[in-house]
């Protein structure tokens, strides 16, 4: 692997080690020089000290490059963490062998040049500290490698979790649309049976506007409340084709609140459930109150159950609760008290979303 190839350095070492290597070699050369001669520059003239230190620099450079090359080769051969029991002992053994071999070969060559023999006890006092220092230096490589690997693993795990959450959201969002389609077809059937052809055509026109909204917001996890209200108003307009003034919705929402975010089709599903499960007649008109209080969109209606309940797919409220749970820490609140059914939907800001959905588009 070329020393000047930055991409390869990062690939196998997890960081660009050029300056770390250069600085480490110089530092190791001064340590070796101190161990060998007690510090050449403090004992001898500058020229002689420089020559002596250069020998230590040569030894340090050869040691570093050989050990580094072995490190990379072992990482290529044993890249997995489960191979650590093989790779780490082999790497330490290679450090010992490299330092001893380089020291013996270099000292033998220098001894031949300067007519000096290899002194084993003296060299041992130098070699052992150099082995320890080289091991500690290479441990820095390992520590950086594992730190970067850990960050990468955490990031990949987070991305995998985000992909799962997004898949769940997509499934729930797609689940809500057939649920709405099923109920609107039932409504259309009733209108065809009970009303004129023109009223049926008007219903279909309104229905097309609603499905345009569904298509436009189909990939959004959150939308502004004002858009959801517009959708819900179109839905209520369609229902009034059936129920006339027997169905009323009391809207009490400020313009500021309309800028907050909400789960698409959540308000519409609550209105749909209220119409589906309660009597709506001249004798018992149904009034649904939609207000904003304490950061929640509150939908309240009087409980006036039908004598014969229609079949339900049970998707509405569970769908909304699960979608909120996936996107936000805030929860949907459902209560029945004093013959009133109340649902509170959290109104969100971008900062309220869980981290994996902080950049949700809408």
């Amino acid at each position: 692997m070329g020393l000047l190839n930055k991409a390869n350095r990062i690939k196998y070492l997890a960081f660009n080690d050029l300056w770390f290597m250069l600085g480490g070699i110089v530092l190791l050369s001064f340590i070796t020089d101190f161990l060998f001669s007690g510090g050449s520059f403090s004992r001898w003239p500058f020229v002689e000290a420089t020559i002596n230190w250069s020998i230590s620099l040569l030894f340090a450079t050869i040691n570093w490059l050989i050990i580094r090359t072995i490190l990379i080769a072992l990482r290529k051969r044993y890249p997995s963490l489960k191979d650590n029991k093989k790779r780490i002992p082999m790497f330490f053994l290679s450090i010992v062998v490299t330092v001893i071999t380089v020291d013996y070969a270099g000292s033998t060559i220098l001894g031949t040049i300067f007519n000096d023999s290899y002194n084993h006890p003296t060299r041992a006092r130098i070699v052992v500290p150099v082995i320890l220092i080289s091991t500690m230096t290479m441990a820095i490589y390992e520590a950086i490698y594992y730190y970067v690997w850990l960050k990468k693993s955490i990031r990949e795990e987070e991305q995998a979790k985000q992909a799962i959450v997004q898949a769940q959201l997509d499934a729930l969002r797609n689940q809500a649309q057939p649920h709405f389609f099923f109920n609107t077809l039932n409504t259309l059937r009733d209108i065809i049976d009970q009303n004129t052809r023109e009223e049926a055509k008007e219903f279909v026109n309104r229905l097309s506007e609603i499905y345009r909204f569904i298509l436009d917001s189909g990939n959004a996890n959150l939308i502004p409340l004002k858009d959801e209200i517009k959708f819900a108003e179109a839905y209520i307009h369609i229902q009034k084709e059936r129920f006339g003034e027997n169905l009323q919705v009391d809207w009490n929402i400020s313009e500021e609140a309309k800028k907050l975010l909400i789960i698409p089709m959540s308000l519409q599903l609550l209105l749909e459930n209220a119409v589906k499960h309660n009597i709506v007649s001249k004798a018992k008109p149904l009034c649904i109150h939609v207000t904003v209080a304490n950061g929640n969109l509150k939908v309240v209606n009087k409980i006036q159950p039908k004598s014969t309940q229609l079949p339900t797919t049970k998707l509405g409220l569970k769908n909304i609760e699960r979608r909120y749970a996936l996107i936000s820490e805030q929860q949907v609140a459902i209560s029945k008290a004093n013959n009133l059914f109340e649902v509170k939907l959290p109104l969100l800001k971008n900062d309220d979303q869980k981290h994996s959905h902080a950049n949700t588009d809408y």
Side-chain angles (χ1 to χ4, degrees):
M1 182 183 69
L3 291 177
L4 299 180
N5 192 321
K6 179 179 178 181
N8 282 336
R9 289 198 301 271
I10 294 175
K11 179 179 179 181
Y12 294 109
L13 301 174
F15 73 109
N16 183 5
D17 75 323
L18 182 60
W19 292 109
F20 175 71
M21 178 175 59
L22 294 177
I25 289 173
V26 173
L27 179 61
L28 186 59
S29 69
F30 278 108
I31 293 174
T32 304
D33 178 66
F34 178 79
L35 292 172
F36 181 74
S37 60
S40 298
F41 291 97
S42 63
R43 297 178 59 190
W44 299 321
F46 180 77
V47 175
E48 187 178 350
T50 300
I51 295 173
N52 199 63
W53 168 75
S54 298
I55 296 173
S56 297
L57 178 63
L58 177 64
F59 276 60
T61 301
I62 295 173
N63 276 327
W64 192 293
L65 294 180
I66 293 175
I67 294 171
R68 181 177 177 274
T69 301
I70 294 172
L71 169 64
I72 293 170
L74 288 174
R75 282 191 182 158
K76 289 180 180 179
R77 185 176 179 84
Y78 303 107
S80 175
L81 285 179
K82 65 182 180 181
D83 295 323
N84 279 353
K85 292 181 179 180
K86 296 179 181 179
R87 187 175 60 82
I88 292 178
M90 291 176 64
F91 185 43
F92 176 72
L93 181 62
S94 70
I95 293 174
V96 175
V97 172
T98 298
V99 173
I100 293 175
T101 302
V102 169
D103 182 77
Y104 180 79
S107 297
T108 300
I109 294 172
L110 292 175
T112 301
I113 296 174
F114 297 104
N115 195 24
D116 190 13
S117 62
Y118 188 83
N119 189 318
H120 292 280
T122 301
R123 301 305 301 183
R125 290 197 299 269
I126 299 173
V127 169
V128 172
V130 170
I131 290 174
L132 294 176
I133 294 169
S134 298
T135 301
M136 289 187 290
T137 303
M138 293 301 120
I140 295 175
Y141 272 111
E142 291 290 334
I144 294 174
Y145 180 80
Y146 282 114
Y147 173 72
V148 173
W149 182 89
L150 180 61
K151 283 181 62 179
K152 181 182 178 182
S153 297
I154 293 173
R155 183 170 62 251
E156 289 176 348
E157 183 179 357
E158 179 64 25
Q159 289 172 347
K161 289 180 179 178
Q162 182 175 347
I164 293 172
V165 170
Q166 189 61 51
Q168 292 174 324
L169 279 169
D170 291 341
L172 289 170
R173 187 164 50 223
N174 294 333
Q175 194 180 59
Q177 293 174 13
H179 176 262
F180 172 76
F181 184 61
F182 173 79
N183 286 285
T184 50
L185 284 180
N186 285 337
T187 303
L188 177 58
R189 180 194 59 195
D190 293 340
I191 289 177
I192 292 173
D193 290 341
Q194 301 173 16
N195 300 81
T196 66
R197 179 181 297 178
E198 291 302 318
E199 288 173 322
K201 286 182 178 179
E202 178 64 19
F203 178 89
V204 172
N205 289 336
R206 293 291 182 177
L207 189 59
S208 68
E209 293 179 6
I210 288 177
Y211 272 96
R212 186 178 297 112
F213 167 86
I214 293 175
L215 291 173
D216 290 342
S217 63
N219 294 322
N221 294 327
L222 291 172
I223 61 171
L225 176 58
K226 64 178 181 180
D227 293 343
E228 178 68 13
I229 290 174
K230 184 177 179 181
F231 172 49
E233 287 176 337
Y235 171 77
I236 290 298
H237 182 89
I238 286 176
Q239 294 301 321
K240 278 179 174 273
E241 294 289 337
R242 291 178 58 196
F243 301 109
E245 296 304 312
N246 298 327
L247 175 62
Q248 296 292 331
V249 178
D250 176 29
W251 302 95
N252 185 13
I253 302 173
S254 67
E255 292 299 319
E256 191 65 26
K258 291 180 180 179
K259 298 177 183 177
L260 298 173
L261 306 178
I262 193 172
I263 298 289
M265 298 183 67
S266 54
L267 172 58
Q268 179 275 325
L269 281 171
L270 295 182
L271 297 175
E272 181 180 313
N273 280 348
V275 172
K276 181 178 179 180
H277 297 294
N278 292 280
I279 296 173
V280 185
S281 65
K282 187 173 183 180
K284 284 190 173 183
L286 179 66
C287 184
I288 306 171
H289 301 276
V290 184
T291 59
V292 172
N294 300 321
N296 293 290
L297 181 70
K298 188 165 65 173
V299 181
V300 183
N301 64 271
K302 188 177 180 180
I303 299 174
Q304 40 195 54
K306 296 177 179 179
S307 57
T308 303
Q309 288 292 324
L310 295 174
T312 176
T313 57
K314 299 182 179 180
L315 291 177
L317 288 174
K318 289 183 179 179
N319 185 295
I320 295 171
E321 287 179 312
R322 290 171 63 191
R323 289 165 71 190
Y324 264 105
L326 289 170
I327 289 179
S328 170
E329 299 293 345
Q330 301 185 40
Q331 298 180 346
V332 176
I334 304 171
S335 64
K336 291 182 180 180
N338 302 320
N339 204 36
L340 294 176
F341 185 76
E342 178 180 290
V343 180
K344 293 180 181 178
L345 301 179
L347 295 176
L348 306 176
K349 299 177 182 178
N350 281 318
D351 294 341
D352 296 327
Q353 300 174 69
K354 290 182 179 178
H355 178 72
S356 60
H357 290 277
N359 296 321
T360 300
D361 296 324
Y362 56 85

